[in-house]
Amino acid sequence: MFLPDSLKDKVILVTGGGTGLGRSMTERFLELGAKVAITSRRKEMLESVAAELTAKYGGEVFTTGVDVRDPEAVSRMISEVWAHYGRIDVLLNNAAGNFISPTERLSHRAVDAVLGIVLHGTFYCTLEIGKRWIEAGIHGTVLNIATTYAATGSGYVVPSATAKAGVVAMTKSLAAEWGKYKIRLNAIAPGPFPTEGAWSRLMPSKELEHLFERQIPLRRMGEHIELANLASYLVSDYSSFVTGSVFTIDGGESAWTGGEFNVLDEVTPAQWDMLEAMRKKG
Ligand code: HXC
Ligand code: NAP
């Protein structure tokens, strides 16, 4: 449904764009004609990914290293991308840090590691680019990658839930405040999408994957292209009246976990027959 030049000549900056979902979204943007910049801490990894992607799709992938927890490094990184392409149209805040742990086992440094990347990093990138857009009169777009549990909270990933909830609040707040500059901000709340980065830190074991799958009505994890297509829509001009919104893409997981009676999935047809017979008997 996307025309091949849906994102033609849009300059899109993707934090954490060298791995996992960031890389998959970058690939789709390239396919749709965008010019892309990817950034994260590992510069060499980014360079080899850029070489791979340009060989596969053509187009241009600019790379620059940054630790998004450092506001001065963020400012330098954005200057570099801006100088290279002459402007930036879209910021995709995708970089994140996360791991599972009982909260009482965390040190304050562990809390800071996650809040620093997810909340501060997302805010620094957005603020730095927003100031430049406002000054230059550019109608830019920010897309933030949140999580479904930003809305509900979740045990065992409490720093991440706290930080992502902040990201959602920032998305809605700035959509309200910067609408007058024609700057749009939206967020995607993905359910589980297998990536090396997330699975190595969050999936306790291969054997326990089914526990997560069981709470997804579509009975499978997400495929990267499904998320990449939603992101492509939200950074494109097709979504020009969409701002301040959070889009859930989770195979129905949050609908399932939020519904008191959905545990009745466990009741078999024979048991339903029995329950019905008992009800009819009064
Ligand atoms: C408890 C931990 C820990 C763990 C690190 N720490 N890992 N504590 N359990 N598993 C503690 C360390 O002991 C240290 O505290 C502090 O955190 C900082 O650790 P460092 O290793 O020095 O941090 P750093 O090198 O900055 O790395 C940041 C990181 C790391 C977040 C800890 O995992 C990382 O680089 N992650 C980036 C990629 C990522 O996380 N991808 C997953 C995204 S998935 P002390 O006190 O010992 O000094 C996602 C949503 C998935 O976000 C949702 C799925 C449905
Ligand atoms: P990932 O591959 O580990 O992605 C995280 C990226 O962030 C990496 O490229 C990493 O690169 C970068 N990064 C981490 N710390 C950074 C820092 N301090 N400065 C700059 N970049 C940093 O994991 P993923 O699963 O694709 O996650 C991508 C996004 O989706 C995240 O926002 C995550 O919260 C969200 N999400 C994922 C899932 C899922 O199921 N996979 C579900 C919900 C939400 P470097 O190591 O090179 O810095």
Side-chain angles (χ1 to χ4, degrees), residues 41 69 96-101 106-107 109-110 113-114 117 147 149 160 164 190-192 197-199 201-202:
R41 293 166 298 180
R69 291 172 284 197
N98 197 2
F99 46 77
I100 44 169
S101 173
L106 297 176
S107 68
R109 283 176 294 274
V114 175
I117 304 169
T147 54
Y149 57 70
S160 170
K164 293 284 193 184
W199 257 228
R201 293 175 176 89
L202 296 157

Short mmCIF file of all heavy atoms in Angstrom, two decimals, residues 41 69 96-101 106-107 109-110 113-114 117 147 149 160 164 190-192 197-199 201-202, ligand 1:
data_model
loop_
_atom_site.label_atom_id
_atom_site.label_comp_id
_atom_site.label_asym_id
_atom_site.label_seq_id
_atom_site.Cartn_x
_atom_site.Cartn_y
_atom_site.Cartn_z
N ARG A 41 25.98 4.13 20.34
CA ARG A 41 27.32 4.21 20.94
C ARG A 41 28.38 3.52 20.08
O ARG A 41 29.52 3.94 20.04
CB ARG A 41 27.30 3.57 22.33
CG ARG A 41 26.47 4.33 23.34
CD ARG A 41 26.20 3.51 24.58
NE ARG A 41 25.44 2.31 24.27
CZ ARG A 41 25.05 1.40 25.16
NH1 ARG A 41 25.36 1.56 26.42
NH2 ARG A 41 24.35 0.34 24.80
N ARG A 69 22.82 9.79 26.58
CA ARG A 69 22.76 10.29 27.96
C ARG A 69 23.56 11.58 28.14
O ARG A 69 23.46 12.23 29.18
CB ARG A 69 23.30 9.23 28.92
CG ARG A 69 22.38 8.04 29.03
CD ARG A 69 23.00 6.91 29.82
NE ARG A 69 24.00 6.18 29.06
CZ ARG A 69 24.46 4.99 29.39
NH1 ARG A 69 24.02 4.39 30.47
NH2 ARG A 69 25.35 4.38 28.64
N ALA A 96 17.27 2.57 23.49
CA ALA A 96 16.73 2.24 24.81
C ALA A 96 17.68 1.32 25.54
O ALA A 96 18.55 0.68 24.94
CB ALA A 96 15.36 1.58 24.68
N GLY A 97 17.50 1.24 26.85
CA GLY A 97 18.20 0.27 27.67
C GLY A 97 17.18 -0.35 28.60
O GLY A 97 16.25 0.32 29.06
N ASN A 98 17.35 -1.63 28.89
CA ASN A 98 16.35 -2.33 29.70
C ASN A 98 16.91 -3.67 30.13
O ASN A 98 17.78 -4.24 29.46
CB ASN A 98 15.08 -2.55 28.84
CG ASN A 98 13.86 -2.89 29.65
OD1 ASN A 98 13.89 -2.93 30.87
ND2 ASN A 98 12.76 -3.14 28.96
N PHE A 99 16.45 -4.20 31.24
CA PHE A 99 16.75 -5.57 31.65
C PHE A 99 15.76 -5.96 32.72
O PHE A 99 15.15 -5.08 33.35
CB PHE A 99 18.20 -5.72 32.17
CG PHE A 99 18.62 -4.65 33.13
CD1 PHE A 99 18.19 -4.66 34.44
CD2 PHE A 99 19.42 -3.60 32.69
CE1 PHE A 99 18.56 -3.65 35.32
CE2 PHE A 99 19.80 -2.59 33.57
CZ PHE A 99 19.37 -2.61 34.89
N ILE A 100 15.56 -7.27 32.93
CA ILE A 100 14.63 -7.70 33.98
C ILE A 100 15.37 -7.87 35.30
O ILE A 100 16.50 -8.37 35.32
CB ILE A 100 13.91 -9.03 33.63
CG1 ILE A 100 14.87 -10.06 33.04
CG2 ILE A 100 12.71 -8.78 32.75
CD1 ILE A 100 14.28 -11.44 32.93
N SER A 101 14.71 -7.46 36.36
CA SER A 101 15.28 -7.66 37.70
C SER A 101 14.22 -7.34 38.73
O SER A 101 13.44 -6.40 38.56
CB SER A 101 16.47 -6.71 37.90
OG SER A 101 16.93 -6.78 39.24
N LEU A 106 18.03 -3.66 42.52
CA LEU A 106 18.69 -2.66 41.67
C LEU A 106 19.49 -1.66 42.49
O LEU A 106 19.05 -1.24 43.56
CB LEU A 106 17.65 -1.88 40.86
CG LEU A 106 16.81 -2.66 39.86
CD1 LEU A 106 15.77 -1.73 39.22
CD2 LEU A 106 17.70 -3.29 38.79
N SER A 107 20.64 -1.25 41.96
CA SER A 107 21.38 -0.13 42.56
C SER A 107 20.86 1.15 41.90
O SER A 107 20.20 1.11 40.86
CB SER A 107 22.87 -0.28 42.27
OG SER A 107 23.11 -0.09 40.89
N ARG A 109 22.63 3.14 40.34
CA ARG A 109 23.29 3.24 39.03
C ARG A 109 22.52 2.46 37.96
O ARG A 109 22.44 2.88 36.81
CB ARG A 109 24.74 2.73 39.12
CG ARG A 109 25.68 3.72 39.78
CD ARG A 109 27.07 3.14 39.93
NE ARG A 109 27.06 2.00 40.85
CZ ARG A 109 27.19 2.12 42.19
NH1 ARG A 109 27.35 3.30 42.73
NH2 ARG A 109 27.16 1.06 42.97
N ALA A 110 21.94 1.34 38.37
CA ALA A 110 21.14 0.56 37.41
C ALA A 110 19.90 1.35 37.00
O ALA A 110 19.52 1.37 35.82
CB ALA A 110 20.74 -0.78 38.04
N ALA A 113 20.98 4.06 34.64
CA ALA A 113 21.38 3.58 33.31
C ALA A 113 20.16 3.57 32.39
O ALA A 113 20.22 4.03 31.24
CB ALA A 113 21.98 2.19 33.42
N VAL A 114 19.03 3.08 32.90
CA VAL A 114 17.83 2.98 32.05
C VAL A 114 17.15 4.33 31.88
O VAL A 114 16.82 4.74 30.76
CB VAL A 114 16.86 1.91 32.63
CG1 VAL A 114 15.57 1.87 31.85
CG2 VAL A 114 17.54 0.55 32.64
N ILE A 117 19.13 6.60 29.44
CA ILE A 117 19.01 6.33 27.99
C ILE A 117 17.60 6.65 27.51
O ILE A 117 17.40 7.40 26.54
CB ILE A 117 19.33 4.84 27.66
CG1 ILE A 117 20.71 4.44 28.18
CG2 ILE A 117 19.23 4.60 26.15
CD1 ILE A 117 20.99 2.94 28.13
N THR A 147 6.43 1.52 25.00
CA THR A 147 6.09 0.10 25.21
C THR A 147 4.63 0.07 25.67
O THR A 147 4.10 1.08 26.13
CB THR A 147 6.91 -0.55 26.36
OG1 THR A 147 6.72 0.25 27.53
CG2 THR A 147 8.35 -0.67 26.04
N TYR A 149 3.57 -1.42 28.31
CA TYR A 149 3.49 -1.29 29.77
C TYR A 149 3.80 0.13 30.25
O TYR A 149 3.81 0.38 31.45
CB TYR A 149 4.35 -2.35 30.46
CG TYR A 149 5.81 -2.36 30.09
CD1 TYR A 149 6.67 -1.35 30.49
CD2 TYR A 149 6.35 -3.41 29.34
CE1 TYR A 149 8.01 -1.35 30.16
CE2 TYR A 149 7.69 -3.43 28.99
CZ TYR A 149 8.52 -2.39 29.41
OH TYR A 149 9.85 -2.40 29.06
N SER A 160 12.37 0.86 33.26
CA SER A 160 11.92 1.02 31.87
C SER A 160 10.47 1.52 31.82
O SER A 160 10.14 2.44 31.07
CB SER A 160 12.04 -0.32 31.13
OG SER A 160 11.40 -0.25 29.88
N LYS A 164 9.54 4.99 30.11
CA LYS A 164 8.69 5.00 28.90
C LYS A 164 7.40 5.76 29.17
O LYS A 164 6.86 6.41 28.27
CB LYS A 164 8.39 3.57 28.45
CG LYS A 164 9.60 2.78 27.95
CD LYS A 164 10.04 3.19 26.57
CE LYS A 164 11.05 2.19 25.97
NZ LYS A 164 11.57 2.61 24.66
N PRO A 190 4.98 -0.95 21.17
CA PRO A 190 5.01 -2.32 20.65
C PRO A 190 4.88 -3.35 21.77
O PRO A 190 5.37 -3.14 22.88
CB PRO A 190 6.41 -2.44 20.03
CG PRO A 190 7.07 -1.10 20.17
CD PRO A 190 6.33 -0.36 21.25
N GLY A 191 4.23 -4.44 21.46
CA GLY A 191 4.31 -5.64 22.32
C GLY A 191 5.61 -6.35 21.96
O GLY A 191 6.52 -5.73 21.41
N PRO A 192 5.72 -7.65 22.23
CA PRO A 192 7.00 -8.33 21.99
C PRO A 192 7.33 -8.56 20.51
O PRO A 192 6.53 -9.11 19.76
CB PRO A 192 6.84 -9.67 22.71
CG PRO A 192 5.44 -9.77 23.16
CD PRO A 192 4.74 -8.49 22.94
N GLY A 197 18.85 -7.72 21.17
CA GLY A 197 19.04 -6.81 22.31
C GLY A 197 18.00 -7.04 23.40
O GLY A 197 18.33 -7.09 24.59
N ALA A 198 16.74 -7.17 23.01
CA ALA A 198 15.67 -7.34 24.00
C ALA A 198 15.66 -8.76 24.56
O ALA A 198 15.58 -8.96 25.77
CB ALA A 198 14.32 -7.01 23.38
N TRP A 199 15.77 -9.74 23.68
CA TRP A 199 15.64 -11.13 24.15
C TRP A 199 16.79 -11.52 25.08
O TRP A 199 16.59 -12.21 26.08
CB TRP A 199 15.57 -12.09 22.94
CG TRP A 199 14.18 -12.56 22.66
CD1 TRP A 199 13.81 -13.86 22.43
CD2 TRP A 199 12.97 -11.79 22.57
NE1 TRP A 199 12.45 -13.93 22.22
CE2 TRP A 199 11.91 -12.68 22.30
CE3 TRP A 199 12.67 -10.45 22.71
CZ2 TRP A 199 10.58 -12.27 22.16
CZ3 TRP A 199 11.34 -10.03 22.56
CH2 TRP A 199 10.34 -10.93 22.30
N ARG A 201 18.27 -9.73 27.16
CA ARG A 201 18.16 -9.07 28.47
C ARG A 201 16.83 -9.31 29.17
O ARG A 201 16.72 -9.13 30.37
CB ARG A 201 18.34 -7.56 28.31
CG ARG A 201 19.72 -7.17 27.87
CD ARG A 201 19.82 -5.68 27.61
NE ARG A 201 21.17 -5.29 27.27
CZ ARG A 201 21.65 -5.28 26.04
NH1 ARG A 201 20.89 -5.62 25.02
NH2 ARG A 201 22.91 -4.94 25.82
N LEU A 202 15.81 -9.70 28.39
CA LEU A 202 14.45 -9.71 28.96
C LEU A 202 13.76 -11.06 28.93
O LEU A 202 12.84 -11.30 29.70
CB LEU A 202 13.57 -8.69 28.21
CG LEU A 202 14.04 -7.25 28.36
CD1 LEU A 202 13.53 -6.40 27.22
CD2 LEU A 202 13.56 -6.68 29.67
C1 HXC B 1 20.61 -5.72 37.51
C2 HXC B 1 22.03 -4.51 36.18
C3 HXC B 1 21.77 -5.37 35.06
C4 HXC B 1 20.87 -6.45 35.27
C5 HXC B 1 23.17 -3.85 34.43
N1 HXC B 1 22.90 -3.60 35.71
N2 HXC B 1 22.50 -4.92 34.00
N3 HXC B 1 21.46 -4.70 37.37
N4 HXC B 1 20.31 -6.60 36.50
N5 HXC B 1 20.58 -7.31 34.28
C6 HXC B 1 23.47 -2.55 36.55
C7 HXC B 1 24.98 -2.69 36.65
O1 HXC B 1 25.34 -3.64 37.65
C8 HXC B 1 25.40 -1.27 37.05
O2 HXC B 1 25.15 -0.99 38.40
C9 HXC B 1 24.39 -0.42 36.27
O3 HXC B 1 23.30 -1.27 35.94
C10 HXC B 1 25.00 0.10 34.97
O4 HXC B 1 25.49 -1.01 34.25
P1 HXC B 1 26.51 -0.87 33.05
O5 HXC B 1 26.72 -2.21 32.45
O6 HXC B 1 27.73 -0.11 33.49
O7 HXC B 1 25.68 0.11 32.10
P2 HXC B 1 25.87 0.50 30.61
O8 HXC B 1 27.16 -0.08 30.06
O9 HXC B 1 25.64 1.92 30.52
O10 HXC B 1 24.70 -0.32 29.85
C11 HXC B 1 23.33 0.06 29.93
C12 HXC B 1 22.41 -1.16 30.09
C13 HXC B 1 22.70 -2.23 29.03
C14 HXC B 1 20.97 -0.64 30.03
C15 HXC B 1 22.66 -1.76 31.48
O11 HXC B 1 21.84 -3.35 29.18
C16 HXC B 1 22.59 -1.70 27.61
O12 HXC B 1 23.56 -1.14 27.08
N6 HXC B 1 21.41 -1.84 26.97
C17 HXC B 1 21.14 -1.31 25.63
C18 HXC B 1 20.29 -2.22 24.79
C19 HXC B 1 19.02 -2.73 25.43
O13 HXC B 1 18.88 -2.71 26.67
N7 HXC B 1 18.10 -3.24 24.59
C20 HXC B 1 16.83 -3.75 25.06
C21 HXC B 1 15.75 -2.80 24.74
S1 HXC B 1 14.19 -3.64 24.84
P3 HXC B 1 26.32 -1.08 39.53
O14 HXC B 1 25.64 -0.67 40.79
O15 HXC B 1 26.76 -2.52 39.54
O16 HXC B 1 27.41 -0.14 39.09
C22 HXC B 1 13.08 -2.63 25.61
C23 HXC B 1 11.62 -3.01 25.72
C24 HXC B 1 11.36 -4.46 25.51
O17 HXC B 1 13.39 -1.59 26.03
C25 HXC B 1 9.92 -4.83 25.83
C26 HXC B 1 9.65 -6.27 25.46
C27 HXC B 1 8.20 -6.58 25.40
#
